[in-house]
Amino acid sequence: IGDVAPQLKLREVLQCEDMEWYLKYVDPEMEWEANHICVPGADKSRGGCEKKAAHGRSTIDRIMPAAEYKARRAEIQEYWNTRMYSQSLDDDENEL
């Protein structure tokens, strides 16, 4: 793979987050799906799906329940509102 030090330094400078953060605060549906993956056509005891694959999906047989999705989106919105407010306060302090 070679020397990844430049990429690690760039990640630090840009203050990049990891995949766990991305799933939690950007794409909760993907996070949910990761815990519901199944193998179409395989025996259920070996990770096979219980039902036919969900529409537009190939490795899950259900989609995130709407109520759960809405609740997660509300949590994410609160996170971003708080983060943006904190950043705004930091920016205001730096201007003083």
Side-chain angles (χ1 to χ4, degrees):
I1 201 171
D3 182 14
V4 297
Q7 287 81 7
L8 291 173
K9 180 65 177 167
L10 180 60
R11 182 173 188 231
E12 181 182 327
V13 169
L14 296 175
Q15 299 177 348
C16 295
E17 302 289 353
D18 61 17
M19 189 64 176
E20 184 178 341
W21 176 91
Y22 174 81
L23 293 174
K24 186 171 182 175
Y25 296 112
V26 178
D27 195 346
E29 188 175 14
M30 185 183 288
E31 177 185 40
W32 185 91
E33 288 176 357
N35 296 317
H36 295 85
I37 292 174
C38 59
V39 181
D43 187 79
K44 188 176 165 191
S45 66
R46 295 184 174 254
C49 299
E50 294 177 20
K51 304 179 253 178
K52 185 178 171 186
H55 178 73
R57 307 297 203 280
S58 60
T59 58
I60 60 170
D61 60 358
R62 64 199 86 178
I63 58 171
M64 185 177 197
E68 190 174 343
Y69 179 81
K70 288 177 184 176
R72 287 290 295 122
R73 294 306 304 169
E75 291 171 16
I76 291 168
Q77 186 63 47
E78 179 64 26
Y79 168 81
W80 285 107
N81 289 344
T82 302
R83 185 173 171 139
M84 293 298 114
Y85 178 74
S86 295
Q87 188 174 5
S88 176
L89 289 177
D90 290 345
D91 291 345
D92 289 346
E93 286 179 10
N94 290 334
E95 289 179 10
L96 296 176

